Amino acid sequence: MENAATIISDVQGFWAARWSGTALGWHKHDVNPHLQKYNDLLVERDEKNRIFVPLCGKSVDMAYLASNSKVSHVVGIDIVKQAAEEFSEDHPTLSLKEFRRESCDATSSGSIFHGDGITIIVGDLFDLLQMQSEDRAKYITLGSTASTDGSTSYLFDSIYDRASMVAIDPSLRNDYATHIGDLLSPGGVVLLVTLDRRKVTNAAAKSDGPPFSINESEVRQLYESQEWVDTVELLEDVDDLTTDDDKQRWEKKGVLELYELVFVIRKKSESK
């Protein structure tokens, strides 16, 4: 992962610059319709479901998940502290408060925000993924009322990935897919949303990003090769260019057809 550290450092600067501007094209003011449609997949337990949201930004999806009575804890992570601060301002009823680590090996700012059933970590996703399970459990629950239930690990029942796989450098995808399974309980699920730049006018339009293009074949090749994965199912394949404004905006980037793909990826149970 030495190469990954270099790439992530570059990405940190990139996203910090993007957040300092006024146009946050990736941020949506409404709850993602795919999340609303497939929400039940993330809360298969009757109660106390834990959900992880990698590269969460200030997404309203986190507040939506935290409001579910079946959810006990939503944990997001983003490399830009401004994302956590603005989410806290936008959702005062969640009572988020900032805590700082005296030793911040895992984050550039040493900040972690805890609220009512929700935590936002400010830091490097790959640092969190590569932690030993016991260290990760202590880190996630630092300053929080969240319980580890006597366990030395802190596993999630589900992962909601709408903005992570499409945002990380494609060279890091295999490392990401390998380690993300370490955060899931046996039988847990990943709800994954990707973008497929299906028809483009040139090679650069295909490889440009973020958001980076990843089609069904690439998702299957990536996840079905992981030892922890039981099944990969495509739930939906949706045309993302439904308005003239969308078509014109993406056509300027050389993209003529753009699709959103929704997958559910299930981890093997303990018996398998």
Side-chain angles (χ1 to χ4, degrees), residues 68-112:
N68 191 313
S69 60
K70 291 184 177 182
V71 175
S72 63
H73 196 194
V74 175
V75 177
I77 184 169
D78 201 276
I79 204 164
V80 179
K81 185 179 179 182
Q82 184 179 342
E85 292 173 332
E86 292 190 10
F87 180 87
S88 179
E89 293 171 1
D90 292 343
H91 303 277
T93 59
L94 292 175
S95 304
L96 281 152
K97 295 180 180 179
E98 181 180 359
F99 294 81
R100 291 188 59 84
R101 288 170 58 86
E102 293 181 4
S103 174
C104 50
D105 297 331
T107 73
S108 57
S109 73
S111 293
I112 186 166

Side-chain angles (χ1 to χ4, degrees), residues 173-175 177-178 217-232 265 268:
R173 285 174 178 169
N174 190 66
D175 290 320
T178 298
S217 176
E218 291 169 323
V219 169
R220 290 191 178 279
Q221 183 178 6
L222 181 64
Y223 278 101
E224 289 177 348
S225 64
Q226 301 299 329
E227 191 172 321
W228 61 270
V229 171
D230 186 15
T231 58
V232 177
I265 300 164
K268 294 175 182 176

Side-chain angles (χ1 to χ4, degrees), residues 240-256:
D240 203 39
L241 302 183
T242 57
T243 69
D244 289 339
D245 286 345
D246 287 338
K247 292 176 182 177
Q248 292 172 7
R249 179 165 58 90
W250 281 95
E251 188 174 349
K252 290 178 181 178
K253 301 178 182 181
V255 179
L256 303 180

Side-chain angles (χ1 to χ4, degrees), residues 82-263:
Q82 184 179 342
E85 292 173 332
E86 292 190 10
F87 180 87
S88 179
E89 293 171 1
D90 292 343
H91 303 277
T93 59
L94 292 175
S95 304
L96 281 152
K97 295 180 180 179
E98 181 180 359
F99 294 81
R100 291 188 59 84
R101 288 170 58 86
E102 293 181 4
S103 174
C104 50
D105 297 331
T107 73
S108 57
S109 73
S111 293
I112 186 166
F113 290 70
H114 290 299
D116 293 338
I118 189 166
T119 295
I120 301 178
I121 300 166
V122 180
D124 188 321
L125 170 61
F126 281 89
D127 283 342
L128 182 72
L129 292 179
Q130 293 179 85
M131 281 184 179
Q132 296 296 316
S133 59
E134 185 172 354
D135 292 336
R136 188 164 53 232
K138 291 178 180 177
Y139 184 69
I140 291 173
T141 58
L142 175 70
S144 168
T145 58
S147 171
T148 59
D149 298 327
S151 173
T152 58
S153 63
Y154 196 83
L155 299 177
F156 295 92
D157 301 288
S158 56
I159 295 172
Y160 173 53
D161 180 352
R162 185 193 73 83
S164 188
M165 179 60 76
V166 297
I168 62 173
D169 191 282
S171 66
L172 299 178
R173 285 174 178 169
N174 190 66
D175 290 320
Y176 173 78
T178 298
H179 288 288
I180 202 74
D182 295 338
L183 274 63
L184 271 179
S185 297
V189 302
V190 179
L191 183 64
L192 171 66
V193 182
T194 72
L195 283 177
D196 177 8
R197 301 181 184 217
R198 194 162 297 176
K199 185 176 181 181
V200 297
T201 59
N202 56 76
K206 185 75 169 181
S207 61
D208 193 23
F212 295 103
S213 177
I214 178 167
N215 61 30
E216 179 182 1
S217 176
E218 291 169 323
V219 169
R220 290 191 178 279
Q221 183 178 6
L222 181 64
Y223 278 101
E224 289 177 348
S225 64
Q226 301 299 329
E227 191 172 321
W228 61 270
V229 171
D230 186 15
T231 58
V232 177
E233 179 185 355
L234 176 64
L235 299 174
E236 203 161 355
D237 184 337
V238 182
D239 185 354
D240 203 39
L241 302 183
T242 57
T243 69
D244 289 339
D245 286 345
D246 287 338
K247 292 176 182 177
Q248 292 172 7
R249 179 165 58 90
W250 281 95
E251 188 174 349
K252 290 178 181 178
K253 301 178 182 181
V255 179
L256 303 180
E257 292 183 5
L258 182 70
Y259 285 79
E260 274 194 319
L261 309 183
V262 186
F263 299 87

Side-chain angles (χ1 to χ4, degrees), residues 16-71:
R18 291 286 295 272
W19 275 92
S20 67
T22 57
L24 305 181
W26 65 90
H27 178 70
K28 306 299 180 184
H29 296 285
D30 299 318
V31 176
N32 185 276
H34 301 308
L35 174 59
Q36 292 176 309
K37 184 173 183 178
Y38 298 109
N39 178 59
D40 288 349
L41 291 172
L42 299 176
V43 289
E44 294 184 332
R45 293 173 56 177
D46 290 337
E47 60 180 3
K48 295 185 178 181
N49 289 273
R50 296 171 178 167
I51 302 176
F52 181 59
V53 186
L55 304 190
C56 59
K58 59 174 183 177
S59 173
V60 297
D61 294 347
M62 290 188 295
Y64 174 79
L65 290 168
S67 70
N68 191 313
S69 60
K70 291 184 177 182
V71 175

